[in-house]
Amino acid sequence: MGDLLEHDALSLSGMLARKELSAVELMQATLAQITAWNPRVNAIVSAIDPDQALALAAKADNAKRMGWLHGIPVAIKDLANAQGLETSMGSPVFAGQVAQADDLYVARMRAAGALIIGKTNVPEFGLGSHTFNPVHGATVNPYDPGRSAGGSSGGAAAALATRMLAIADGSDMMGSLRNPAAWCNVYGLRPTWGRIPNEPTGDMYLHPLATNGPMGRSPADIAALLEVQAGRDPVQPFGVAHNNVSRGLDAPIQGMRIGWLADWGGAYPMEDGIVQRCDAALQVFRDLGAVVEHLAPPFPASKIWDSWQVLRWFAVAAKLEPLYRQEKTRAQLKPAAIWEIENGLALSAMQVQRASALRSEWFRAAAVMFEQFDAVVLPTAQVWPFPVDDIHPTRINGQPMDTYHRWMEVVVPASLIGLPALSVPVGFGVNGLPMGMQLIGAARADNTVLHLGQAYHQATLWPQKMPPRQP
């Protein structure tokens, strides 16, 4: 059983289905791994009692299989509700709040047989790509405990890298699952917006920026989890019809066309070694028969950023304004949240309209771009994992960052218009730290980026070749 947790989630599922492995045995191995690793990285929070976890596994062993996740331990990102577990969102405002029901995609995972054993750590309200908060503390990078694991899905990425979990959920507004995947040497997919429905609460029309998504140690695992999480919700106005995103993942990619955007013509400052590491990784696609071409910026980065700033302020303020209005809860909000809210509250309706028009303009330009390319590529991050005690990077190569999240700008082109984007590992820098690059597809082309990602994965196997050192 020593190498059991090196298997990917689909392999474990097959072993469980064939009775080569029991859910109790898998849970015992998982709990032992959590005992060994979690005190070091602080990725899993609000965990259930081990005896309760083993009882769940025993029940699964004696039950009819519910789906491919049957008997597999999972922990849910602490921005989502899992019935009976605390949903703190990393905020003292909600510390101790126990969920009375599952969120929609969590219910779908549970219905497929997942055994929910805890939550994964996040930044406060998911703001900022650095997982620390006053409720559960900081999640550190498995490859260097003095460095950040990224965020907001930093707990999920660190748990995957350390084999505490075989599969995980994440969410992504501004790179929240892509950035930690890159920094923890795993995979993360931001799916086409609407493929995984959000919660049917409050306004369902005006704020299509964030989405939930799957994370794993292979694109095949990610595709399988996406098929569980995805599917239109009849009480929501938008959504993408469910289809088989796993089809043809192992087919050759010869002749597929990839556009390499690098640093968007110099618009995105990058720390040394990042563009070079991604450029070297693209040779894998050439070796597999794909065509890789340098691509000039298809749209002004400044327009994308201007649109993003306004629409993000608008969305965050709409969500958190009730907490801001109350003096007691406002005092418990971190400065980044207050900054987002106050900027959002100051917007006029016409400012939001102009930002949405810019977003529409970028979508049209991107559609033309994807007439020539099956996918385009950008680095997943502009900086290497930074010291865990820092709040956020303030400069890149001497260039000041004018907001707390400007250093994450490279993820915005996909986020703004809801494109599918898969972060794949590209190896390690001379500093020994991981990095990734984004494979970005046309709207609703999730299968295409997963297909490219799976071919790349089979040729590289970065998560399997370079796991973090055992504590």
Side-chain angles (χ1 to χ4, degrees):
M1 289 291 178
D3 296 329
L4 175 63
L5 299 183
E6 290 299 322
H7 288 280
D8 63 19
L10 284 171
S11 294
L12 291 172
S13 178
M15 294 166 69
L16 288 164
R18 294 187 299 270
K19 305 292 186 183
E20 298 168 4
L21 173 70
S22 72
V24 167
E25 289 171 326
L26 178 56
M27 186 65 75
Q28 287 171 333
T30 298
L31 293 173
Q33 193 78 349
I34 291 171
T35 297
W37 268 104
N38 208 48
R40 181 183 184 187
V41 298
N42 190 38
I44 295 178
V45 299
S46 304
I48 66 175
D49 182 86
D51 289 340
Q52 187 181 356
L54 289 169
L56 281 177
K59 184 177 179 181
D61 278 331
N62 294 313
K64 181 180 178 181
R65 280 184 67 79
M66 301 165 65
W68 83 267
L69 287 172
H70 191 97
I72 295 180
V74 300
I76 300 299
K77 184 173 178 178
D78 197 26
L79 296 183
N81 289 308
Q83 186 176 19
L85 295 178
E86 178 185 13
T87 309
S88 76
M89 302 187 192
S91 169
V93 175
F94 296 117
Q97 174 182 271
V98 175
Q100 301 303 302
D102 290 336
D103 281 355
L104 178 58
Y105 82 90
V106 177
R108 290 175 173 180
M109 292 173 66
R110 200 190 294 271
L115 305 182
I116 299 175
I117 61 170
K119 306 297 284 292
T120 53
N121 203 21
V122 297
E124 184 178 335
F125 296 116
L127 298 176
S129 190
H130 180 22
T131 298
F132 73 98
N133 63 69
V135 180
H136 297 296
T139 297
V140 303
N141 195 296
Y143 290 91
D144 182 344
R147 301 275 167 172
S148 172
S152 60
S153 306
L160 285 167
T162 56
R163 278 56 175 171
M164 291 189 287
L165 297 176
I167 195 76
D169 70 296
S171 61
D172 192 304
M173 177 186 267
M174 193 175 175
S176 283
L177 61 74
R178 287 167 284 165
N179 178 268
W183 284 4
C184 292
N185 191 38
V186 297
Y187 293 86
L189 174 71
R190 178 194 166 100
T192 295
W193 188 85
R195 188 171 293 282
I196 300 175
N198 291 320
E199 285 305 287
T201 58
D203 176 73
M204 297 188 293
Y205 282 91
L206 295 179
H207 304 292
L209 292 178
T211 178
N212 297 303
M215 303 177 70
R217 294 194 296 270
S218 76
D221 279 1
I222 283 177
L225 181 55
L226 180 57
E227 289 184 355
V228 171
Q229 298 173 325
R232 292 194 63 176
D233 179 10
V235 301
Q236 297 191 51
F238 302 120
V240 176
H242 185 49
N243 59 16
N244 183 358
V245 295
S246 293
R247 71 185 185 280
L249 287 191
D250 293 325
I253 64 168
Q254 190 167 6
M256 295 184 73
R257 298 179 63 84
I258 297 171
W260 171 218
L261 286 160
D263 60 0
W264 205 275
Y268 302 145
M270 302 274 176
E271 287 189 340
D272 292 345
I274 293 176
V275 169
Q276 295 86 346
R277 186 65 251 160
C278 296
D279 194 42
L282 285 167
Q283 185 60 41
V284 174
F285 289 110
R286 295 186 180 97
D287 293 343
L288 292 170
V291 177
V292 180
E293 299 179 10
H294 282 271
L295 178 60
F299 197 76
S302 59
K303 288 186 175 182
I304 293 173
W305 182 252
D306 289 347
S307 174
W308 178 258
Q309 280 254 85
V310 169
L311 295 176
R312 180 178 165 99
W313 285 334
F314 182 47
V316 174
K319 181 177 181 180
L320 298 183
E321 184 262 351
L323 302 178
Y324 178 84
R325 293 298 186 194
Q326 300 178 50
E327 185 175 341
K328 180 180 178 180
T329 50
R330 184 194 307 179
Q332 295 176 293
L333 298 176
K334 71 178 185 179
I338 291 174
W339 177 80
E340 297 270 14
I341 296 164
E342 290 181 343
N343 277 290
L345 294 176
L347 293 171
S348 70
M350 290 311 299
Q351 284 176 294
V352 175
Q353 170 62 25
R354 284 191 289 269
S356 189
L358 276 178
R359 171 164 56 175
S360 302
E361 189 180 343
W362 164 221
F363 187 94
R364 290 188 287 270
V368 172
M369 175 179 68
F370 286 115
E371 291 175 0
Q372 303 176 55
F373 296 98
D374 295 289
V376 298
V377 174
L378 283 165
T380 303
Q382 293 168 241
V383 300
W384 298 95
F386 55 82
V388 71
D389 292 332
D390 291 355
I391 296 175
H392 59 81
T394 58
R395 292 176 177 270
I396 299 178
N397 296 339
Q399 181 173 327
M401 298 291 100
D402 57 3
T403 72
Y404 81 99
H405 54 12
R406 189 64 176 256
W407 61 276
M408 301 157 57
E409 190 175 0
V410 73
V411 300
V412 172
S415 290
L416 181 61
I417 55 176
L419 301 181
L422 176 69
S423 179
V424 304
V426 298
F428 296 73
V430 295
N431 51 20
L433 297 171
M435 184 47 64
M437 64 184 178
Q438 304 170 77
L439 308 181
I440 303 169
R444 296 172 291 281
D446 305 62
N447 174 257
T448 300
V449 297
L450 288 165
H451 177 201
L452 286 165
Q454 182 67 3
Y456 174 87
H457 171 69
Q458 290 173 335
T460 58
L461 296 174
W462 276 116
Q464 290 69 31
K465 286 180 178 177
M466 294 289 289
R469 294 179 181 176
Q470 290 286 341

